[in-house]
Amino acid sequence: LSARSRAMSLTQDKNGSARQHVLAVLEQLAPIPKREFAYFESRLRWRRLARGECLTRAGEVADQVGFVVRGLIRKVHVTSHGKPIVRGFGGPGAVVGAYVSLLTGKPSYLSVEALKETELFVLPWAEMPQLYARHSCFQTIGRRLAELTLIEREARAHELLTLSASERYARF
């Protein structure tokens, strides 16, 4: 963790807004019993990323997934000529990570980078098997995240194949 990162649990959130934020994100995916949410939140760590700081940097093996509370994240590829190509953004409510690297255990080909100061809760990816085994709500959440990622990628592929750059920009 960077010097700007600090430890905090959801239960230490003074006004409960971060806790409610993460709960709302998860409950959009599947109902989660109070006891299971309490366990889930005990596994999270608070991170504050400075502008330009990465949750995962290209070439590194990803080991955590993030739940954005405040700020803005981008997923960016860098060409061999050093040109950044942005694949997507994630603001408050987004679940972000280098998913291919998380799933394969291989170095990421993209960076997950803060475009401005960003606050998020991170879950170590190593916790996922225990969560899946613990309660079916976590299996449903994982499946729904995978489905939404597939939908997002297919829509992006369609745009790249059928729209001009100016048409894609107009949609943004």
Side-chain angles (χ1 to χ4, degrees), residues 92-131:
V95 180
V96 297
Y99 298 116
V100 172
S101 179
L102 289 167
L103 293 169
T104 64
K106 294 182 180 178
S108 178
Y109 49 77
L110 60 83
S111 292
V112 180
E113 175 188 6
L115 283 177
K116 63 182 186 177
E117 186 172 285
T118 299
E119 295 177 336
L120 65 165
F121 285 97
V122 295
L123 176 70
W125 192 250
E127 297 280 345
M128 293 307 294
Q130 292 89 355
L131 287 171

Side-chain angles (χ1 to χ4, degrees), residues 1-161:
L1 299 178
S2 75
R4 295 185 58 113
S5 300
R6 62 187 174 91
M8 178 176 125
S9 76
L10 288 175
T11 54
Q12 292 171 312
D13 178 29
K14 288 185 176 59
N15 63 11
S17 63
R19 182 182 197 282
Q20 289 305 313
H21 179 83
V22 173
L23 180 59
V25 168
L26 294 177
E27 288 202 323
Q28 287 178 6
L29 302 169
I32 183 167
K34 289 180 183 179
R35 179 177 173 202
E36 297 310 318
F37 183 70
Y39 178 80
F40 177 80
E41 71 178 326
S42 76
R43 316 318 295 162
L44 297 175
R45 292 188 325 257
W46 180 254
R47 293 261 331 247
R48 180 175 288 140
L49 300 175
R51 181 177 186 220
E53 191 175 355
C54 293
L55 181 65
T56 300
R57 189 173 303 283
E60 297 175 352
V61 176
D63 63 356
Q64 55 193 341
V65 63
F67 300 84
V68 180
V69 176
R70 282 187 262 324
L72 184 62
I73 295 285
R74 73 175 179 169
K75 291 184 177 182
V76 62
H77 299 263
V78 178
T79 68
S80 59
H81 303 294
K83 179 183 175 191
I85 299 173
V86 177
R87 200 194 85 218
F89 298 94
V95 180
V96 297
Y99 298 116
V100 172
S101 179
L102 289 167
L103 293 169
T104 64
K106 294 182 180 178
S108 178
Y109 49 77
L110 60 83
S111 292
V112 180
E113 175 188 6
L115 283 177
K116 63 182 186 177
E117 186 172 285
T118 299
E119 295 177 336
L120 65 165
F121 285 97
V122 295
L123 176 70
W125 192 250
E127 297 280 345
M128 293 307 294
Q130 292 89 355
L131 287 171
Y132 290 151
R134 182 178 169 88
H135 194 278
S136 63
C137 69
F138 297 116
Q139 293 174 16
T140 303
I141 290 167
R143 188 192 81 242
R144 289 289 299 137
L145 284 172
E147 291 168 352
L148 293 171
T149 299
L150 177 62
I151 290 167
E152 173 190 308
R153 289 194 177 176
E154 189 167 309
R156 178 71 172 145
H158 175 74
E159 289 177 355
L160 289 171
L161 293 169

